[in-house]
Amino acid sequence: MSVVSCLLPYPLAVPHETEADIIGLDLMAKAGFNPEDAVALWRNMAAASGGSGPQFLSSHPVPDTRIRTLQQNMPEASSQYTQRRAQGALPNCRKP
């Protein structure tokens, strides 16, 4: 592994992570979980991390970028969640 590869993030990691966020949002809505909870999670992660560095130095999207992406994809996820709720097929998970 070269010094450059250690210092610079993998160039395709951010798009892959973004794709995974969108797929995860879709899957959670289809499974009957409220997709708005994904935004709340990333707000909590941002608060807990105390801030992040510049996006270009990261191999993952910064929390603000993740939140914007989730919000942009929320209409479709919310529609899927609403359909799932109408079917009465929500998960029965208890919060610890």
Side-chain angles (χ1 to χ4, degrees), residues 35-67:
E36 291 288 341
D37 290 343
V39 173
L41 170 98
W42 282 106
R43 286 190 177 128
N44 290 340
M45 294 286 280
S49 71
S52 56
Q55 179 69 65
F56 72 90
L57 291 177
S58 179
S59 62
H60 290 69
V62 295
D64 289 344
T65 301
R66 286 187 190 260
I67 291 167

Side-chain angles (χ1 to χ4, degrees), residues 4-92:
V4 173
S5 66
C6 289
L7 295 175
L8 295 176
Y10 183 64
L12 297 178
V14 172
H16 290 169
E17 287 289 323
T18 300
E19 180 183 28
D21 288 345
I22 294 167
I23 291 169
L25 187 71
D26 178 62
L27 290 174
M28 74 183 289
K30 287 179 179 177
F33 292 95
N34 186 346
E36 291 288 341
D37 290 343
V39 173
L41 170 98
W42 282 106
R43 286 190 177 128
N44 290 340
M45 294 286 280
S49 71
S52 56
Q55 179 69 65
F56 72 90
L57 291 177
S58 179
S59 62
H60 290 69
V62 295
D64 289 344
T65 301
R66 286 187 190 260
I67 291 167
R68 268 194 311 278
T69 298
L70 292 169
Q71 289 172 331
Q72 289 168 351
N73 289 276
M74 194 59 64
E76 183 177 342
S78 291
S79 174
Q80 292 171 346
Y81 175 64
T82 300
Q83 289 173 12
R84 188 72 173 178
R85 282 186 65 170
Q87 296 169 351
L90 296 179
N92 188 16

